[in-house]
Amino acid sequence: MYPAGYGDPFPVRPQLNPMSDLYIIMGPAGSGKSTIAGALSERMRWTMVEADTHHPQENVEKQAGGVPLTDADRAKWLDSMINHINCETAGPVVLACSALTPYVQNRLQHEVERSCVWLLLDVPKQTLAARLRARANHFMPASLLDDQLQALTSPPQAITINADQPIPQICDAICHQISRLQHG
């Protein structure tokens, strides 16, 4: 995956207790949720869950058509995702999920059978827009970015991570924050 001689692209791995935490990598479209969750999952050897794979087809079609989802639209998506996470039996789980609204956040917080750690990826709007325009084969159009930013409500306990930097540095920042949580 990395060029020979490149070394370990993710040298920082906090020594964590094998807890059953859910690390929610959240943010609007284009913030890098899937990329960062995948890199963190690989680094830490944790299970990753991609929220987008749990959307019913009608949600995908609605968003692809430029129509933002309502919390009512999100119910089946959350049911599927929460069931999947609750069926995971191995160690911590990393979830790539927009988790924009208090409805989504509350359902995850109260229905997932793990403690939730919220990690909000912070990226300037211009960068988000550029990433969305450059992205191919994804159902979320750039035209929904303003709706996503308007809907975004950060949970009070969320840890904000600067995600406008290289992937290894973002993962280092997340691991540092996780270590701080683990060790006070």
Side-chain angles (χ1 to χ4, degrees), residues 40-113:
L40 184 65
S41 171
E42 184 178 314
R43 178 192 282 199
M44 302 304 294
R45 295 172 182 84
W46 293 341
T47 299
M48 179 189 163
V49 174
E50 172 57 69
D52 283 348
T53 64
H54 292 275
H55 274 297
Q57 189 60 34
E58 58 264 23
N59 285 8
V60 172
E61 291 170 3
K62 190 172 184 179
Q63 292 176 94
V67 180
L69 297 180
T70 65
D71 282 337
D73 295 325
R74 294 178 176 106
K76 288 181 186 175
W77 168 65
L78 281 162
D79 292 342
S80 173
M81 185 175 22
I82 289 166
N83 183 59
H84 180 135
I85 294 166
N86 286 341
C87 287
E88 288 293 336
T89 57
V93 173
V94 180
L95 172 64
C97 179
S98 55
L100 299 174
T101 68
Y103 170 73
V104 173
Q105 297 161 13
N106 288 332
R107 287 216 40 208
L108 288 170
Q109 188 76 43
H110 298 298
E111 295 178 39
V112 167
E113 297 165 358

